Amino acid sequence: MANNKSSIWQGQPRLPDYQTIAAMAPTPCDDIAPMKDAVRRILRINDEQLALNRYRWYNLPHGLNSQLIERVLYYRGRGMFLYIEPLDQFAFLPYCLDGTIDFYGRYLGAKPLPFLGADELKSENGKTMEAVLTSMTRQPVYDLNLDPAITDEALTQKCVLLTDYCKQLSQTVQPRATLNEGLIDIESNIVPYVNTLLSNSTGISGVRVNGDDEAASVAAASDTVNLAALNGKRWLAINGQLDLQELGSSASAMRVQDMLLSMESLDNIRLGTFGLENGGIFDKKAQMLEVEASVKGSGSSLVMDDGLFQRQQAADLFNSWFLAPMGVDPQFFVTVDINPTVAGLDTMDGAIGTGYTDNKQSTQTSQSTEDNE
């Protein structure tokens, strides 16, 4: 028995699976600034919820849904639609360059990558049979298919690329999860600052204690005061030759209302990055008319339209290269639209359509098809 255990532990070296460890024991809040860390996590979840629910996909094939596609775009910035023959289903996965680029900088070859998962195919008894994605290379398509007779070639060799927003100079798109990090970090500072102002009307004071020289104590006091502001601490012991004095006098002049208005403005900027309707980055008077407020606010419709254009263009290519050659009826083609709640059209009485779920057709789509006919 001991020999068997020894043979197990003396196998090939491998790195520990930190993702599994983190899932079994979730990381607690930061010990240095727990309040800031807690607020930051709340804003991070809210940021993901806004991103994942802006658009609705309809008539998606088995294995795909709206939130899965939007999650890949949120954390990776881009993904590819492809057919995986061993699994007999379509997938939407991140990708990397595999080959060369054309004179527009577009990929001529792309390789799918796992999304927070394993690249392997298991048998019925649980044994690993083969890696699925490692050997795959797909040719991206950028124009509609003009030969509807192509079926097998399109399924096994072609793919459709999709980015969360319009490409920059490079084909690499920065994910939303990293783009909004700066705003989320600043917003998470404001709530602890507000807590400090509410609990300490005179700011933060330091108490002199015997210790190192004054220069070192000033630097230590600066760092300590910053942490105290994030944690709502009032009295601090500073190791140095500093007299008892006010270290937060400048902060006491700012009202709590001013800080909350600053947070509201920052949050409106974050909403604007998603193309969601927001109140702008300024203080609007209470007596301002509704029309004036709407004019001075920001709907950011062009940002939302940009994301919709990227998604609908990918859906059209997907229908042209994959569904049309398979003989799928056009009324069951994949479509995408702005979430009715975001668009302000959701009356909660079913008037927006039955296509709220991924495997059903949108009545908006069918209605537009009848109008075109």
Side-chain angles (χ1 to χ4, degrees):
M1 187 68 179
N3 294 334
N4 293 336
K5 291 184 177 180
S6 177
S7 62
I8 293 176
W9 289 107
Q10 293 179 0
Q12 295 188 3
R14 60 187 296 271
L15 295 175
D17 187 357
Y18 291 108
Q19 292 183 353
T20 302
I21 296 175
M24 296 174 62
T27 305
C29 292
D30 189 358
D31 294 334
I32 299 178
M35 186 180 299
K36 169 186 170 66
D37 187 65
V39 175
R40 184 187 181 90
R41 295 189 182 197
I42 294 174
L43 294 175
R44 163 57 61 202
I45 294 176
N46 174 256
D47 196 71
E48 182 177 358
Q49 289 173 326
L50 294 176
L52 267 58
N53 293 284
R54 291 179 300 162
Y55 303 99
R56 292 293 182 187
W57 293 76
Y58 303 105
N59 302 328
L60 289 170
H62 174 71
L64 294 177
N65 59 68
S66 290
Q67 290 216 344
L68 177 60
I69 295 175
E70 297 299 330
R71 281 185 68 235
V72 174
L73 295 177
Y74 180 74
Y75 286 105
R76 296 294 183 263
R78 60 183 186 176
M80 65 187 303
F81 289 99
L82 76 159
Y83 176 76
I84 302 180
E85 189 173 6
L87 302 179
D88 190 25
Q89 68 180 26
F90 288 96
F92 183 77
L93 295 169
Y95 63 89
C96 64
L97 176 64
D98 185 21
T100 59
I101 58 177
D102 63 7
F103 45 78
Y104 289 116
R106 299 179 301 187
Y107 288 9
L108 296 179
K111 179 181 290 294
L113 301 173
F115 179 63
L116 305 177
D119 178 19
E120 58 186 23
L121 183 64
K122 293 184 179 295
S123 61
E124 295 181 356
N125 57 7
K127 294 184 178 180
T128 302
M129 299 173 55
E130 60 178 333
V132 179
L133 305 179
T134 303
S135 59
M136 285 189 179
T137 298
R138 292 290 188 269
Q139 179 185 357
V141 294
Y142 301 101
D143 299 302
L144 296 177
N145 179 22
L146 301 179
D147 186 5
I150 299 178
T151 303
D152 295 338
E153 179 183 356
L155 288 176
T156 58
Q157 300 181 15
K158 306 294 183 181
C159 70
V160 176
L161 305 184
L162 170 61
T163 56
D164 188 21
Y165 53 89
C166 59
K167 300 182 182 68
Q168 309 303 300
L169 292 178
S170 173
Q171 292 293 313
T172 302
V173 178
Q174 294 295 324
R176 294 279 183 182
T178 58
L179 286 178
N180 288 345
E181 276 294 330
L183 290 174
I184 292 177
D185 185 70
I186 298 176
E187 286 187 69
S188 62
N189 287 337
I190 295 180
V191 173
Y193 291 159
V194 170
N195 179 71
T196 301
L197 286 180
L198 292 174
S199 59
N200 307 317
S201 60
T202 58
I204 304 169
S205 299
V207 179
R208 184 181 64 184
V209 295
N210 295 327
D212 300 331
D213 55 14
E214 186 175 353
S217 63
V218 170
S222 177
D223 296 337
T224 308
V225 167
N226 182 48
L227 291 178
L230 294 176
N231 291 278
K233 295 182 178 179
R234 175 174 174 78
W235 295 103
L236 301 173
I238 301 176
N239 188 11
Q241 299 179 2
L242 291 176
D243 294 331
L244 181 64
Q245 57 185 303
E246 296 294 334
L247 301 178
S249 58
S250 61
S252 61
M254 174 174 282
R255 300 176 303 169
V256 173
Q257 179 183 2
D258 297 332
M259 284 195 174
L260 293 178
L261 287 175
S262 299
M263 183 174 183
E264 181 182 3
S265 297
L266 291 171
D267 205 53
N268 287 334
I269 295 176
R270 187 164 61 92
L271 290 174
T273 62
F274 289 114
L276 301 175
E277 184 177 356
N278 58 85
I281 57 174
F282 46 82
D283 182 18
K284 291 171 285 299
K285 303 301 181 181
Q287 66 271 19
M288 183 179 294
L289 297 177
E290 182 178 357
V291 176
E292 294 176 340
S294 63
V295 171
K296 292 188 177 182
S298 176
S300 303
S301 58
L302 290 179
V303 178
M304 183 71 73
D305 288 344
D306 173 66
L308 180 62
F309 174 79
Q310 304 298 328
R311 288 160 175 77
Q312 188 58 60
Q313 185 182 49
D316 293 340
L317 292 173
F318 183 89
N319 297 328
S320 174
W321 283 93
F322 296 139
L323 298 187
M326 296 172 61
V328 176
D329 193 294
Q331 66 174 335
F332 297 110
F333 279 0
V334 175
T335 60
V336 61
D337 203 352
I338 297 176
N339 189 331
T341 304
V342 175
L345 301 175
D346 193 354
T347 59
M348 305 302 292
D349 60 358
I352 292 304
T354 59
Y356 190 81
T357 54
D358 300 296
N359 58 350
K360 293 183 179 180
Q361 181 193 7
S362 168
T363 57
Q364 291 178 314
T365 304
S366 59
Q367 181 64 38
S368 61
T369 303
E370 294 176 359
D371 295 340
N372 293 334
E373 293 176 355

